[in-house]
Amino acid sequence: MRFYNRGEEIAILRENERLAEKNAMFAVLSGRRRVGKTSLVMEAFKEKQYAYLFVSKDSESILCGKFQQALDEQLGIHVYGQITRFREFFDVVMRESQKRHFTVVFDEFQNFYKVNPAIFSEMQDIWDRLHRTSHINLIAMGSIRSLMKRIFEDENEPLYGRPTSKFTLRPFTIAVLKQIFQDHAPNYRNEDLLCLYMITGGVAKYVELLMDAGCYTKEKMLNYICRQDSYFLSEGRDLMNQEFGDESATYFSILQLIAGGLNRRSDIDGAMQKDMGTFLQNLEKNYHLVSRLKPLLAKPNSKTSAYEISDPFLRFWFRFVWPYQSLVERGQLSLLKQNMLRGYETFTGRTLEQYFQAMAMESGQYTIVGNWWDRKGENEIDLIALNEFDHTGIVAEVKRNPDKLNPAELQRKVAQLPASDFGKYNLTQQGFSIEDM
């Protein structure tokens, strides 16, 4: 699959590179694993001179040996003798950047915690002393969001306040997914697009795997997922083990419960037989893996809330793959696929709501998007999108089957919206189905 989109992000990286010719730049690029950070950097600097350094979990001396060799091969910076300490290596890089301009990229930057946590303090010391006369374009990339946030946003950490640029690479938008599908399979069905969105959520690597394998239909995608050699069967576990470490069992259980429909705090506590408040807070605030959904415009202290897995792929994986690991291990993948098909329509009903909510936000017409339900759970509106500046918006019912859309029922629910919150908005009622994708 060819390189798609990312024009804005490439512009940022190239502008930072240009500015670094005069003054040192330090950019932090975060994003979930497989979202395309490495491909982005390679595309942005394909005509420039740069060193790409992957931070593997080796001993410090071995890692520095790899860095030293890469520096020689990629930037022509030759150092006599063997460097065994990162402090020595980074000092060489910064002093060389006082003589000439170049880019250095550290990939999986958070892995320095495993190599030697003192490296961050050593970087701070050398950066603070030398960056004012340096012409380096330094980029730190990382995929473990909790650690990257800690390194650069915790005021007690040594590298707090040092970056000159920070941004997060997000999955492809729906518009880009449509473009990719159009290029590969111009006659794709909306059902196929919905399945692609359900599985990948726009994550570049996942989309690339399916497109390169010729999986352009729902049937072929699910077959690919359930192959014996499928990359997707272990991907969720690999992602989560990277994030959670020793506490993975409890978090896996909570995420499985949420994916299976137990999404209220009381239900989760009951199923786990203890208070899960701390774990849920970590999943939301530190790991950014779940979102705590509230009715749109609800008060901050509202107790009417539900949890949802934020990442579409993980939502899919924890619903259809993780609970059935015994089938995967025994190679009974035909049964795994049958179970996916049984739950597919119900599961993708909510996926379709997420799709139209994402489309509303990506349209640029609305400032807040979500859904709404009353305290008793008797009235629920699938999509509300509001523009807080001109006080316009839409309320919509979302159904897979267009025949099940009921304008009169939607109008009845709209009448239940609190006038104190929604009274100032001019709301248009709509109905969306799979035919409107």
Side-chain angles (χ1 to χ4, degrees), residues 191 194-201 222 255-261 308-321 323-324 339-355 398 400:
E191 188 70 70
L194 181 61
C195 188
L196 181 69
Y197 183 73
M198 173 191 73
I199 294 171
T200 71
L222 294 182
L255 290 168
Q256 180 179 324
L257 290 173
I258 294 173
E308 184 170 72
I309 297 175
S310 308
D311 187 293
F313 168 74
L314 290 175
R315 181 173 172 265
F316 165 79
W317 191 84
F318 274 103
R319 171 62 181 85
F320 290 114
V321 180
Y324 308 102
N339 185 62
M340 286 183 188
L341 292 172
R342 273 195 298 270
Y344 181 84
E345 287 211 4
T346 300
F347 185 81
T348 53
R350 173 57 186 151
T351 304
L352 192 63
E353 292 177 23
Q354 294 172 319
Y355 176 94
V398 179
R400 280 182 53 92

Side-chain angles (χ1 to χ4, degrees), residues 26-28 30 109 120 140 147-155 157 159-163 166:
F26 186 173
V28 175
S30 300
F109 186 80
F120 302 116
L147 290 181
M148 291 296 284
K149 183 178 179 181
R150 174 181 165 188
I151 293 167
F152 294 106
E153 297 182 25
D154 186 335
E155 60 185 16
E157 292 293 314
L159 292 179
Y160 174 79
R162 269 63 187 183
K166 289 191 294 185

